[in-house]
Every structure is written in structure tokens, then in C-alpha cells.
Amino acid sequence: LTPKQHKAVEALLATGEVMAAAREAGVDRKTLQRWLRQPAFAQAVRDAEARALDDLSRLLVRMGRTAAATLAKAMG
């Protein structure tokens, strides 16, 4: 991927919207839509989303443990 495409992948994750991501990445909306139809770019987006979900899952597990321990302490 080009540097602009990498920036667009990150912008898609951050904004969740094609128009906003295109603006943030400094490309036209139609360009970003065209990139989304390209297999390599689409795969990069899916890979980035999977990494983000893994990160979020780990964070939620940590927070859940902390919340459960806090609740147990408060109830004890």
C-alpha cells in the first residue's frame, strides 16, 4: 500500500465512515471507495479491524477483571 492508503486505513478505523476517512486521509471519497474495491486494500482494512478488535478484547478483559474485583471488595 502507498503511504496515503495506509493513512486511509487508519482513518477508516478512527472514523468508521468513508467520507470522514477520505477527508482525514486527504483523498477524494471516490478514490477511497475505489481503493476499497481493490483486494489488497480491502484486506489491509480487514487486518487492521481484526487487530483493533483483538486490542479491544484484551482491554475489556482487563477492565472486567478490575471491575469484578472492585465490586467484590465493595460488597465484602
Side-chain angles (χ1 to χ4, degrees):
L1 300 182
T2 68
K4 280 233 183 216
Q5 287 175 321
H6 283 289
K7 188 171 182 179
V9 168
E10 293 303 317
L12 281 167
L13 287 180
T15 66
E17 297 179 3
V18 171
M19 290 264 308
R23 230 182 350 265
E24 191 171 311
V27 298
D28 188 75
R29 174 188 54 84
K30 290 181 181 183
T31 298
L32 183 49
Q33 288 173 326
R34 186 178 70 249
W35 288 348
L36 284 164
R37 291 190 300 271
Q38 296 173 354
F41 185 82
Q43 185 63 51
V45 172
R46 286 191 298 273
D47 291 346
E49 289 170 336
R51 285 190 305 274
L53 283 173
D54 287 345
D55 292 345
L56 178 59
S57 178
R58 282 189 292 281
L59 174 62
L60 290 173
V61 167
R62 269 196 325 272
M63 290 175 66
R65 287 183 183 147
T66 301
T70 302
L71 181 59
K73 185 177 179 181
M75 293 177 68

